[in-house]
C-alpha cells in the first residue's frame, strides 16, 4: 500500500466518523466559488469571515468537516477552529470530499 493510499483511507475513516456523529460540512471558499459548485447541504463561510462566526459555530455543538478547493484553506480553517475549541477535520477539496460522502 502506498503512502497516499494509507493517508486517503485514514482521512476517509475520519470523515466517516465525523459524519456518523452529525458533522456539518463547512465550505470555506468564497461565496462566488461556492455558488459555482458545492456539496449539497454544506454551509458556506468564507475563510476570511470565519472569525466572525466562531460563537455561532461553537453553539451548534457539532463537529465540522471543512473543505475548500484544494485543502489548503480548509487546513488553515481547521487549525483555527480547533484553537477555538471547535471539533473539526480537514475534508480537503470539496470535489474529493463529495466522492467520499
Amino acid at each position: 500500500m502506498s503512502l497516499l493510499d494509507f493517508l486517503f483511507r485514514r482521512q476517509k475513516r475520519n470523515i466517516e466518523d465525523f459524519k456518523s456523529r452529525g458533522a456539518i460540512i463547512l465550505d470555506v471558499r468564497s461565496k462566488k466559488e461556492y455558488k459555482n459548485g458545492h456539496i449539497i447541504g454544506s454551509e458556506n463561510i468564507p475563510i476570511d469571515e470565519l472569525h466572525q462566526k466562531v460563537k455561532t459555530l461553537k453553539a451548534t455543538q457539532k463537529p465540522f468537516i471543512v473543505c475548500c478547493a484544494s485543502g489548503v484553506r480548509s487546513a488553515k480553517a481547521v487549525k483555527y477552529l480547533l484553537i477555538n475549541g471547535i471539533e473539526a477535520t480537514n475534508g480537503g477539496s470539496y470535489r474529493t470530499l463529495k466522492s467520499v460522502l
Side-chain angles (χ1 to χ4, degrees):
M1 176 185 335
S2 74
L3 178 60
L4 287 177
D5 288 337
F6 173 77
L7 293 174
F8 185 72
R9 285 183 183 169
R10 184 174 167 197
Q11 180 186 29
K12 185 176 179 182
R13 282 192 306 268
N14 195 30
I15 289 168
E16 288 170 351
D17 172 56
F18 269 64
K19 187 178 170 193
S20 73
R21 294 186 290 122
I24 296 169
I25 299 170
L26 178 62
D27 192 321
V28 295
R29 296 176 298 145
S30 70
K31 294 191 184 303
K32 183 178 179 182
E33 288 173 295
Y34 184 80
K35 196 174 191 177
N36 287 330
H38 60 273
I39 296 171
I40 303 289
S42 63
E43 299 288 328
N44 177 230
I45 301 175
I47 194 164
D48 58 343
E49 296 175 17
L50 199 56
H51 67 282
Q52 299 168 8
K53 304 287 184 176
V54 169
K55 287 182 183 178
T56 303
L57 296 175
K58 201 174 224 179
T60 67
Q61 297 183 344
K62 293 198 176 210
F64 291 87
I65 301 170
V66 187
C67 65
C68 64
S70 67
V72 174
R73 286 177 282 182
S74 55
K76 290 178 184 178
V78 166
K79 186 174 181 178
Y80 181 76
L81 293 172
L82 292 172
I83 288 169
N84 283 280
I86 300 169
E87 187 178 10
T89 190
N90 188 356
S93 157
Y94 82 97
R95 291 173 197 245
T96 303
L97 180 57
K98 190 188 258 188
S99 70
V100 172
L101 298 172

